[in-house]
Amino acid sequence: MSLASVYIATRFVHFVALYVLLGTGIYVECLTPRAARAWSRARSEPMLRACALAACVCAAGLLCLEAGQMGNGWSDVRDPSTWLEVLGTAYGRVWRWQLGLSVAAALCALAGTERPWRRPALLWLAAAMLACMAFVGHAASHTGERAVLAGIVQLAHLYAGAYWLGGLPILWLTLEGLHDGRRADVVRTHMRYSTFGHVAVAVVIASGAINIGLVLGTWPWHWASLYQRLLSLKMMLVALMAMAAIVNRYVLVPRMRRESAAGFIWFGRLALAEIVLGLLVLALVSWFATLEPA
């Protein structure tokens, strides 16, 4: 496998881990009623631990792979002196924070579940790690006031996307509560998630459009460019995700309130479809983020 392919795959896993850490943290700690929070924490615990550890491993791996990208390939991936050179660049100065925060998150995830500070700390660490991602890549290629604007817009895009996509796995995992006496709490949590989700979807779309303007300066109609083809495909997948979310919220949730079995089944299927579409979006982002905008 080529260095570029491994870099893209590692970046994809890193994005997924950060999105799930932040989205799940918000869903459980901020949106779930207190009476159901312990149950939601238990349901999400294996996933959060896996994501925290994956984020730590991927952060270290991306530093090594970045060294290979900037240097002479696989030989520099294993060269500590090249790692230090990368850490001295603008990218590396941001990545030092990413590495430190990732280690802290991994240690926090491995701490005992009985510690009350643990889950809120993971949530804040996830927010900080994702913030670091706003200041590397294409969004960090600007200077002056444009760089500040690009950073703010990219940060809003990442946070809104993490809320939307990162909250879907725990939503899907807690759907079994609709059948075991937790139905009211599960529906209430989803309604809260969906209410703020309207804002998240709007921010994803608006910030994405601004990002396109900042990076390309035009709409991605030039399909001879691989970058623009992938970007256009991402936009179509996001549109499909938004359509699935609208159907879930305005068609299936009312059926769930009437305890419609078909409503429950289709809600779960569409939530799973959103997750799959979201993963495809992150895969595309991980790919075209390695390409020169053109």
Side-chain angles (χ1 to χ4, degrees):
M1 187 178 290
S2 68
L3 176 60
S5 299
V6 175
Y7 183 86
I8 292 169
T10 306
R11 187 178 171 90
F12 167 70
V13 175
H14 192 231
F15 261 124
V16 171
L18 295 184
Y19 267 46
V20 173
L21 277 173
L22 184 58
T24 299
I26 294 173
Y27 192 94
V28 174
E29 304 303 320
C30 304
L31 303 179
T32 302
R34 189 175 298 275
R37 198 167 296 162
W39 175 75
S40 291
R41 284 174 175 171
R43 293 292 295 150
S44 62
E45 184 61 30
M47 180 171 63
L48 278 189
R49 284 192 176 185
C51 286
L53 294 174
C56 186
V57 172
C58 288
L62 285 169
L63 171 64
C64 300
L65 293 166
E66 189 70 31
Q69 299 264 64
M70 293 183 177
N72 297 312
W74 285 109
S75 60
D76 283 321
V77 170
R78 300 182 294 271
D79 183 4
S81 64
T82 310
W83 306 344
L84 293 176
E85 288 181 19
V86 172
L87 288 174
T89 65
Y91 170 92
R93 286 191 288 273
V94 174
W95 213 252
R96 293 175 200 169
W97 284 97
Q98 184 70 262
L99 290 168
L101 292 165
S102 298
V103 171
L107 293 174
C108 192
L110 294 173
T113 57
E114 72 281 357
R115 301 176 190 274
W117 51 265
R118 178 175 168 275
R119 293 296 286 258
L122 264 178
L123 173 57
W124 285 107
L125 286 167
M129 287 188 287
L130 196 58
C132 290
M133 300 301 290
F135 300 98
V136 294
H138 295 149
S141 61
H142 306 286
T143 57
E145 294 180 356
R146 192 179 181 90
V148 175
L149 174 61
I152 293 172
V153 170
Q154 181 68 357
L155 191 59
H157 191 71
L158 290 172
Y159 279 163
Y163 176 90
W164 182 11
L165 175 56
L168 287 171
I170 185 59
L171 179 151
W172 189 75
L173 286 173
T174 54
L175 285 179
E176 67 181 43
L178 294 169
H179 309 290
D180 65 3
R182 296 183 176 87
R183 180 176 169 275
D185 287 329
V186 170
V187 172
R188 187 178 299 115
T189 306
H190 173 67
M191 293 299 292
R192 292 174 178 175
Y193 168 77
S194 179
T195 298
F196 292 108
H198 288 72
V199 178
V201 172
V203 171
V204 165
I205 294 171
S207 59
I210 296 172
N211 270 336
I212 290 171
L214 288 171
V215 173
L216 285 179
T218 183
W219 207 245
W221 296 130
H222 184 52
W223 280 51
S225 161
L226 176 59
Y227 179 92
Q228 294 196 29
R229 290 201 302 273
L230 295 176
L231 181 57
S232 299
L233 181 56
K234 175 202 170 185
M235 292 163 58
M236 288 186 280
L237 292 175
V238 170
L240 287 175
M241 284 182 67
M243 290 171 60
I246 290 170
V247 172
N248 259 349
R249 173 62 180 84
Y250 292 106
V251 177
L252 298 178
V253 168
R255 292 186 184 179
M256 289 167 61
R257 286 175 171 171
R258 297 192 297 270
E259 300 191 26
S260 164
F264 294 148
I265 293 171
W266 279 104
F267 183 91
R269 288 175 178 174
L270 274 185
L272 189 58
E274 279 189 78
I275 293 172
V276 172
L277 289 170
L279 290 173
L280 290 174
V281 167
L282 291 183
L284 287 173
V285 170
S286 302
W287 185 1
F288 69 65
T290 65
L291 303 174
E292 282 297 322

